[in-house]
Amino acid sequence: MKKNILLLFSILVGFFLFPGQLFAFEHGYKINTGNIYAMVRNDIPVYYSNDGEDLKTYLPSFSGITVIDSAGSWYQVEYKTKSGMGTGWVTKEEFTYDCLVYDGTEKQIVANGTYQLRYCQDVNGISILNSMDDSNSFSNHRISCKIKFLGNKNYQIYRTDTGKYLLADQLFESNENEIIWGSEQDAGTFHLIRKGNYYGIQDSVTNRYLGTNDAGLLSFTNGKNIYWRLNRTNKAVSKSSLRVFVQFDPEWASTHYGRGKNEDPSTNNYCTSACGIFSTMNAIYSLTGHYVNPDLLADYAVEKYYRIEGYGTDSGFFKAAASKFGYKYGFRYDGSGESLKQLKDKLNKGDTAIAYVPGHYVAIVDYDKKKNKFLLLDPHYLPKRRTSSFGDWVSEKDLEEGALFAQMFFYYKQIDY
């Protein structure tokens, strides 16, 4: 039995290292075959060298591990220690059996893509940070821009109508300069700062925010009460924006999902129980491009008793989450159903879906009419589902039988700001 499991996992990890036709499904996007990121699901021995003679340490469950090199039947890995980072060697067999592979690249608060940016501000001293009614707060500044992630929390922004880039603040002698768009050579880098229901656009060098001057022209300012709405113009499901957030990401895998103290740390955590939370997170991100902290969703599920101890998340959470967080992240609940025909129609009209498959929730975020395939995001892959951590195109037949038999769909639709 163990050999069969090892074989399945070997196929899985082998696919991540050497993309090919080993997998039943076509992956959502081409996998970066540089570093391989994984979570340790069972304690794994790490050696000083690839001869296997001197044991260095055991990495415990829920640890993060990164493959940085390979030699024969060994992987050289990097991992966190109390004093910093450590390196060592693990056998490929141990890694294959005891680790779960995921996308460990830096997380983006906003996915790459085109957004409508609308500038708004506090009116008459009344804060609009968490207001559900900002209709009187918007200025005339509404701009269609492409946002591109550069790494280290930095973004570039350029207009889709002119192709000009938002310039670096340090180019200006004062905030009265109205010429803030120019060539890529002079483009600035910016941080997108979540501010309640909005964002601040902050120059990464001067730390000043994009707003308006006394003449009402766009400029950088030291003021912090400056807010922008970001409304995505299409779903974040292209190769440059698709992302699957998984339950076993070491950043949160061991987080307790429930009330009080977790008496059994090996279960009742995000890794074992939060597929409903992460399918919601993936459905929102794929729809609107906005990153939702899973703690926010999980805490709400616990507070409102949608968390079912020993099982997972009650399906009523999906509608409740839209009521609670929809305005902030730009989505609303769009009903539920069992029909694959309805699923196709909803996806074609721009929705994303959370689907219940046997004992598990997944997100289904796009439909390719030509191939008659659905883009499925599994927050916790298993050999029996033949899925991955990188999105998979699955057929209609896949959703009608077996481990991916989809019994119910819950839909989200984007809000137009």
Side-chain angles (χ1 to χ4, degrees), residues 125-412:
I126 301 174
S127 176
I128 61 167
L129 257 182
N130 298 296
S131 171
M132 301 290 275
D133 181 14
D134 51 18
S135 57
N136 296 319
S137 304
F138 287 110
S139 74
N140 292 325
H141 295 292
R142 182 167 184 158
I143 314 164
S144 177
C145 292
K146 280 198 173 181
I147 295 177
K148 182 180 179 181
F149 185 61
L150 303 178
N152 196 27
K153 298 183 180 181
N154 291 319
Y155 291 82
Q156 274 186 340
I157 300 172
Y158 68 94
R159 297 181 62 140
T160 58
D161 56 349
T162 64
K164 291 186 176 181
Y165 288 76
L166 185 59
L167 300 179
D169 180 29
Q170 60 186 344
L171 293 176
F172 309 130
E173 295 181 359
S174 76
N175 64 2
E176 299 300 320
N177 196 321
E178 62 181 275
I179 306 172
I180 63 171
W181 304 95
S183 68
E184 183 177 3
Q185 180 180 354
D186 295 325
T189 58
F190 306 93
H191 295 160
L192 301 178
I193 311 297
R194 171 61 80 171
K195 291 171 171 269
N197 295 333
Y198 308 85
Y199 290 92
I201 300 175
Q202 182 185 47
D203 185 281
S204 62
V205 177
T206 67
N207 293 326
R208 298 205 306 166
Y209 287 89
L210 180 66
T212 58
N213 58 24
D214 292 340
L217 301 173
L218 287 180
S219 65
F220 290 96
T221 173
N222 291 317
K224 295 183 178 180
N225 296 328
I226 296 169
Y227 314 110
W228 291 86
R229 280 284 201 187
L230 273 62
N231 184 38
R232 193 173 178 90
T233 59
N234 49 36
K235 289 190 285 189
V237 295
S238 68
K239 290 183 179 181
S240 66
S241 59
L242 183 65
R243 179 69 182 254
V244 183
F245 299 102
V246 294
Q247 298 165 241
F248 51 84
D249 186 323
E251 181 177 333
W252 49 59
S254 61
T255 301
H256 180 210
Y257 181 28
R259 291 182 177 272
K261 183 180 179 181
N262 190 2
E263 300 298 333
D264 181 9
S266 66
T267 186
N268 290 325
N269 51 47
Y270 287 0
C271 183
T272 61
S273 306
C275 59
I277 298 301
F278 284 86
S279 292
T280 303
M281 186 179 177
N282 285 325
I284 297 169
Y285 189 82
S286 298
L287 179 67
T288 71
H290 298 301
Y291 172 87
V292 185
N293 189 312
D295 293 343
L296 196 67
L297 298 173
D299 289 349
Y300 184 69
V302 172
E303 176 190 346
K304 298 301 181 181
Y305 297 96
Y306 291 109
R307 165 66 171 130
I308 306 173
E309 293 288 343
Y311 293 93
T313 308
D314 183 85
S315 62
F317 170 74
F318 306 128
K319 184 176 182 179
S323 296
K324 176 67 175 178
F325 303 109
Y327 187 78
K328 181 173 183 176
Y329 295 104
F331 71 102
R332 65 177 177 84
Y333 189 68
D334 197 28
S336 63
E338 303 175 8
S339 163
L340 285 177
K341 181 181 183 302
Q342 182 190 48
L343 175 65
K344 293 177 184 178
D345 291 342
K346 293 276 193 182
L347 293 175
N348 283 334
K349 291 177 181 177
D351 282 20
T352 56
I354 299 159
Y356 179 73
V357 300
H360 189 54
Y361 289 112
V362 299
I364 300 178
V365 299
D366 202 13
Y367 174 65
D368 186 327
K369 184 177 180 180
K370 186 176 181 180
K371 295 182 178 180
N372 193 26
K373 286 191 173 183
F374 303 86
L375 183 54
L376 183 146
L377 312 185
D378 190 346
H380 198 312
Y381 69 78
L382 287 177
K384 68 178 181 180
R385 287 194 287 271
R386 299 178 299 163
T387 50
S388 74
S389 296
F390 301 92
D392 303 279
W393 287 99
V394 305
S395 70
E396 191 167 345
K397 183 179 179 181
D398 294 320
L399 298 180
E400 292 178 323
E401 60 186 29
L404 287 179
F405 171 46
Q407 302 164 46
M408 181 63 73
F409 306 103
F410 306 89
Y411 298 102
Y412 286 155

